[in-house]
Amino acid sequence: MILEDLLHDRLASAFATVAGRDVDPAVRASPHADFQSGAALALAGELKRPPREIAAEVAAETDLDGIAAVAVSGPGFLNLTVDGAFLTGALRAAAADERLGVAPVAGPERIVLDYSGPNAAKEMHVGHLRSTVIGDALARTYDWLGHEVIRVNHLGDWGTPFGMLIEHLLDGERSGDGHSIGDLTGFYQAARAKFDGDDGFRTRARLRVVALQSGDPVSRELWRTLVGQSERYFLDVYRRLGVTLGPEHFAGESRYQDDLAGVVADLTARGLLVESDGALCAFPAGFTGRDGAALPLIVRKADGGFGYAATDLAAIRHRVRDLAADRMLYVVGSPQRTHFAMVFAVARAAGWLPETVHAEHIGFGSILGADGRMLKSRAGDAVKLADLLHQAESRATAPEIAISAIKYADLSSDRRGDYVFDWDRMLAITGNTGPYLQMAYARVCAIFRKAGRGPGAVTVAAPAERALALALLGFEPAVRAAAGHAEPHRLAGYLHGLAAAFSVFYERCPVLRAGDDATRASRLGLAGLTARTLHTGMFLLGIEAPDQI
Ligand code: ARG
């Protein structure tokens, strides 16, 4: 049950009576009361009446079931205080429900969630960390709310680099030095250096791409070796990160190779492709470059090869037609915003993406170094995710604390913005951090170890109990907001607020040394619900919640 919704409905009908039309009372949590509405102020002009007078009339019209008081304050705000018995009832209902009173969504959707998507034969870099961590939190949240989530790991496992990578692998075999692909970046860089500096190698690499694309068995076999090695490496990273991606979720670019000719044929038949410098391009309406010229989406390159956009078009067709997606979300960095907007536009024009299917790019900003620039390693190149995890594991006492700290730092900042990667801040045990949440959770667990009994029926009396009760009842709106906006930081911020409310409560309201048995039972009830709410919320974010630290 969402308190805001209840108060919203009560006020909405009172406002409708007073204003003679539907009004959104915009109920918000407030430091001045439990909740506040400023809607009377917004109506003053239209009704040509003083806002305080409107507010007073609305207060008088409000159905007080569940509300202890509606008071006019300041220039015409309505301050709402929730009825104590009502709070108690709502908490008891949440405590009695294994889902903490959060019902599964009424209309479950099939959501295809595209996240992580690293590139084979290259190390994952920190940009893939954001996609992986944010995507996984969303997958867990949608799952828990009752949607059907199909996780898709759109691995970059195809394209021209594989020509040079296979040749480089073969060179190692020929010379017997067995070039190691254990060090993916080193392997890639060595191949790249040869490609740039050696004409003979470059020619072989080009021929190898052609052979690979036409299905030559030896080339395919070597390609499989390279991709397989990368997949094992990525799975190890996922395991260390504690994300829910497994081998069954790999659906790399190579899967769509056989569909690409059909994509071109379909688009051509619909008159959506134009030849431009030998390439086949779509020009979806409304996309222009800086010079004002229409932006092309290159579907087939001049050399006959297909690129990233063609594969994404084929993937959309597959996800709508074969996977029957209701919603498709792509957790990919913000620089790819235009790519996705154009791909969606072309897919809609081609009839592959009907209006009933929602497609959205869930973009995110960059991770910055202390200097405010893109995070770089000391050598000046992109930071490898594996190195970061290694640093984390060696820095803190327990790896689950350090890994959670990295994940939480990412999840707690608004994904649309950039954030600064700062070990000291993310590992701090105060503030909106992973360790703070984990300590708060472990502290509540410790109370129960000492109590020797379970939680009892909650009664809300002291102000700090009331504040904690209101915080606990904020769980459902926080989860729904995080899901609705695809913004895990809304849930993270909520959990931090809940942990803070618990710590004030714990300071002011003795639990085990409470004066009487009923109070002790009730406070244990509040503590128990806090533990379960923190645990569930942390689980949804993919943050470990150990009982003891
Ligand atoms: N491999 C891509 C990259 O590293 C991300 C793939 C995202 N998903 C997609 N369907 N395009 O940038």
Side-chain angles (χ1 to χ4, degrees):
M1 198 260 339
I2 300 186
L3 271 179
E4 272 103 321
D5 288 355
L6 175 109
L7 299 173
H8 182 281
D9 293 353
R10 298 272 148 77
L11 280 193
S13 40
F15 267 112
T17 311
V18 173
R21 68 163 176 93
D22 283 345
V23 174
D24 174 7
V27 175
R28 309 241 183 285
S30 153
H32 306 292
D34 293 344
F35 295 93
Q36 193 174 65
S37 162
L41 295 158
L43 272 178
E46 177 187 325
L47 300 184
K48 298 194 179 63
R49 293 176 58 191
R52 281 188 66 90
E53 203 179 292
I54 300 172
E57 213 168 295
V58 170
E61 283 289 334
T62 303
D63 170 2
L64 289 181
D65 186 14
I67 305 179
V70 184
V72 180
S73 91
F77 288 105
L78 282 165
N79 281 355
L80 301 159
T81 310
V82 180
D83 181 58
F86 187 85
L87 271 187
T88 301
L91 286 175
R92 288 184 182 184
D97 178 16
E98 58 168 17
R99 292 184 51 90
L100 300 163
V102 183
V105 286
E109 287 181 315
R110 180 172 294 182
I111 303 177
V112 172
L113 191 57
D114 182 319
Y115 69 103
S116 195
N119 299 315
K122 287 198 199 170
E123 297 270 352
M124 289 175 84
H125 56 74
V126 292
H128 295 120
L129 170 73
R130 295 213 75 183
S131 174
T132 305
V133 167
I134 296 169
D136 206 56
L138 295 176
R140 289 161 175 269
T141 305
Y142 295 133
D143 264 341
W144 191 73
L145 283 173
H147 294 292
E148 188 189 339
V149 179
I150 301 183
R151 291 160 172 77
V152 177
N153 195 347
H154 193 84
L155 204 67
D157 65 353
W158 197 248
T160 45
F162 283 95
M164 72 181 194
L165 292 166
I166 292 172
E167 281 303 318
H168 184 54
L169 189 66
L170 281 172
D171 279 358
E173 274 175 23
R174 285 183 201 116
S175 68
D177 75 355
H179 290 175
S180 161
I181 48 174
D183 169 16
L184 290 170
T185 304
F187 184 82
Y188 185 90
Q189 283 169 350
R192 180 86 232 177
K194 269 204 264 175
F195 187 85
D196 291 338
D198 176 343
D199 287 344
F201 182 82
R202 190 156 54 238
T203 309
R204 279 194 278 137
R206 293 231 166 93
L207 291 173
R208 184 60 68 182
V209 176
V210 178
L212 176 64
Q213 298 196 332
S214 54
D216 164 54
V218 175
S219 305
R220 286 276 170 156
E221 174 79 36
L222 292 164
W223 166 78
R224 246 340 298 166
T225 308
L226 285 166
V227 174
Q229 176 78 11
S230 298
E231 288 180 346
R232 276 191 294 282
Y233 167 82
F234 297 141
L235 289 171
D236 181 57
V237 169
Y238 298 149
R239 188 188 47 75
R240 286 158 76 192
L241 276 175
V243 296
T244 58
L245 281 175
E248 67 278 27
H249 304 121
F250 285 124
E253 296 178 7
S254 61
R255 299 266 171 111
Y256 306 98
Q257 287 316 298
D258 295 343
D259 303 340
L260 299 179
V263 163
V264 169
D266 264 27
L267 292 175
T268 307
R270 289 181 185 257
L272 291 168
L273 291 185
V274 176
E275 203 187 305
S276 165
D277 294 332
L280 288 178
C281 305
F283 288 92
F287 293 90
T288 47
R290 273 199 208 127
D291 55 359
L295 270 186
L297 184 74
I298 302 173
V299 178
R300 201 181 70 196
K301 295 184 267 184
D303 66 5
F306 297 99
Y308 189 53
T311 308
D312 261 326
L313 286 169
I316 289 188
R317 213 170 55 156
H318 170 65
R319 291 171 193 184
V320 173
R321 193 183 55 192
D322 308 326
L323 301 181
D326 296 309
R327 182 176 289 270
M328 298 190 289
L329 303 177
Y330 295 76
V331 187
V332 186
S334 296
Q336 293 192 32
R337 193 171 77 191
T338 307
H339 162 77
F340 284 108
M342 292 179 82
V343 164
F344 297 158
V346 172
R348 295 228 186 259
W352 299 328
L353 184 53
E355 285 306 323
T356 49
V357 178
H358 175 92
E360 191 178 344
H361 171 218
I362 308 298
F364 53 80
S366 310
I367 306 184
L368 308 178
D371 57 359
R373 293 159 171 262
M374 295 275 275
L375 190 65
K376 291 270 159 61
S377 72
R378 239 177 251 150
D381 32 52
V383 173
K384 291 184 212 164
L385 187 52
D387 289 349
L388 211 64
L389 297 185
H390 184 72
Q391 274 185 52
E393 285 157 352
S394 54
R395 232 170 203 272
T397 39
E400 70 263 35
I401 307 277
I403 299 282
S404 294
I406 298 189
K407 292 176 75 174
Y408 189 82
D410 202 302
L411 293 168
S412 58
S413 46
D414 186 334
R415 65 173 163 83
R416 289 163 224 268
D418 301 338
Y419 73 91
V420 174
F421 191 92
D422 176 349
W423 280 118
D424 293 337
R425 211 191 57 204
M426 62 179 79
L427 286 171
I429 53 167
T430 53
N432 190 9
T433 69
Y436 176 76
L437 271 191
Q438 289 174 319
M439 299 269 292
Y441 178 72
R443 235 160 105 210
V444 193
C445 292
I447 299 174
F448 282 98
R449 278 196 296 277
K450 268 186 257 158
R453 56 161 293 177
V458 173
T459 308
V460 176
E465 290 177 331
R466 231 191 118 70
L468 178 58
L470 284 167
L472 285 165
L473 294 175
F475 181 61
E476 178 166 5
V479 175
R480 297 221 186 272
H485 296 86
E487 288 179 354
H489 78 278
R490 293 175 185 251
L491 177 57
Y494 162 77
L495 293 173
H496 175 248
L498 174 62
F502 181 79
S503 104
V504 173
F505 157 82
Y506 194 53
E507 220 168 81
R508 307 215 176 132
C509 305
V511 176
L512 299 180
R513 275 172 289 113
D516 59 278
D517 210 52
T519 309
R520 195 173 315 131
S522 163
R523 290 182 178 167
L524 280 170
L526 283 167
L529 198 52
T530 304
R532 288 173 56 205
T533 306
L534 285 174
H535 193 273
T536 307
M538 290 164 80
F539 168 78
L540 296 182
L541 292 177
I543 301 295
E544 297 270 339
D547 310 351
Q548 274 183 61
I549 292 186

